[in-house]
Amino acid sequence: MQAEEKEADVQKIVSKESNIVWLPEISKKDIKIAGGKGANLAEMYNLDLNVPPAFIVTTNAFNNFMKSTGLNKKVLSLLDGLNIENTKELEITAAKIREEITNQKVPEELQEEIIEAYSSLTFRSLCAARNHQRSFPYAPWMSLPAET
C-alpha cells in the first residue's frame, strides 16, 4: 500500500471530533488533532521505532473541556493585558492557568473514554511486546495544544 493510500485510509478513521486516537491512526501531519508530541510519537511508532502502543487524548477533547468548564473565558481574561516582556508576570499567570485547569473535574464522558482506552492499552501492549519480544512501560503525560 502506498503511503498516500495509507494516509487516506487513516483520515477516514480519525475524526476531528474524536476525543481519543491511537498512534497507528495518525501521523506527524496530525498536529491539530494530537498536538506536537502526540503527532511525532505517532510518526515514530508508525516507522516501527521502539515506541509502545499508546493513545492520545486529542486537542478536541481539551478544547471541549475548556469550553464546558468555562476555562476558555477564564484563561482569556487572565491573558488580557498580560505583559509578555515581563517574565515574572508570565510565570505567575501560567501558574494560575495551570492551577485552574488541574482543579477542574474531567467530564464524565471523557473519563469513560480514557478508562476504556487505557483498559485496551494493556492488551495492545501485550500484543506489541509479544511481536517485538520486549515489554513497554507506561508513560502518561498531558500536552496542551498551544505547545505547537
Side-chain angles (χ1 to χ4, degrees), residues 18 31 35 53 81 86 92-93 125 146 148:
S18 298
I31 290 174
N86 184 333
I92 291 169
T93 303
S125 293
T148 57

Side-chain angles (χ1 to χ4, degrees), residues 85-98:
E85 301 298 325
N86 184 333
T87 305
K88 186 66 175 169
E89 187 179 347
L90 284 171
E91 289 173 357
I92 291 169
T93 303
K96 287 179 186 176
I97 292 170
R98 193 170 21 260

Side-chain angles (χ1 to χ4, degrees), residues 126-147:
L126 289 172
C127 292
R130 185 170 292 145
N131 289 339
H132 296 287
Q133 302 300 312
R134 61 181 184 260
S135 62
F136 295 109
Y138 292 98
W141 72 82
M142 177 182 171
S143 296
L144 305 181
E147 74 180 23

Side-chain angles (χ1 to χ4, degrees), residues 1 57 70 74:
M1 181 181 286
V57 178
K74 176 87 175 185

Side-chain angles (χ1 to χ4, degrees), residues 9-107:
D9 288 344
V10 166
Q11 291 306 316
K12 292 175 194 169
I13 297 169
V14 177
S15 162
K16 288 187 174 145
E17 288 79 39
S18 298
N19 288 326
I20 303 285
V21 294
W22 291 90
L23 296 182
E25 298 173 339
I26 58 175
S27 72
K28 66 182 176 185
K29 296 179 181 178
D30 293 309
I31 290 174
K32 289 183 178 179
I33 294 172
K37 287 179 188 167
N40 285 317
L41 190 61
E43 188 69 17
M44 292 186 296
Y45 180 88
N46 293 324
L47 290 171
D48 289 327
L49 297 177
N50 191 13
V51 175
F55 63 90
I56 308 293
V57 178
T58 65
T59 57
N60 179 66
F62 178 77
N63 291 333
N64 287 338
F65 164 77
M66 293 295 284
K67 288 176 191 167
S68 71
T69 58
L71 283 174
N72 55 343
K73 292 178 183 176
K74 176 87 175 185
V75 168
L76 287 175
S77 71
L78 287 169
L79 295 175
D80 189 40
L82 180 65
N83 178 1
I84 62 170
E85 301 298 325
N86 184 333
T87 305
K88 186 66 175 169
E89 187 179 347
L90 284 171
E91 289 173 357
I92 291 169
T93 303
K96 287 179 186 176
I97 292 170
R98 193 170 21 260
E99 182 179 1
E100 289 288 337
I101 292 170
T102 57
N103 285 338
Q104 290 295 321
K105 187 174 190 282
V106 174

Side-chain angles (χ1 to χ4, degrees), residues 102-122:
T102 57
N103 285 338
Q104 290 295 321
K105 187 174 190 282
V106 174
E108 192 74 30
E109 181 182 321
L110 181 56
Q111 284 183 40
E112 290 171 9
E113 286 185 63
I114 292 170
I115 290 167
E116 183 179 327
Y118 189 78
S119 296
S120 175
L121 184 60
T122 303

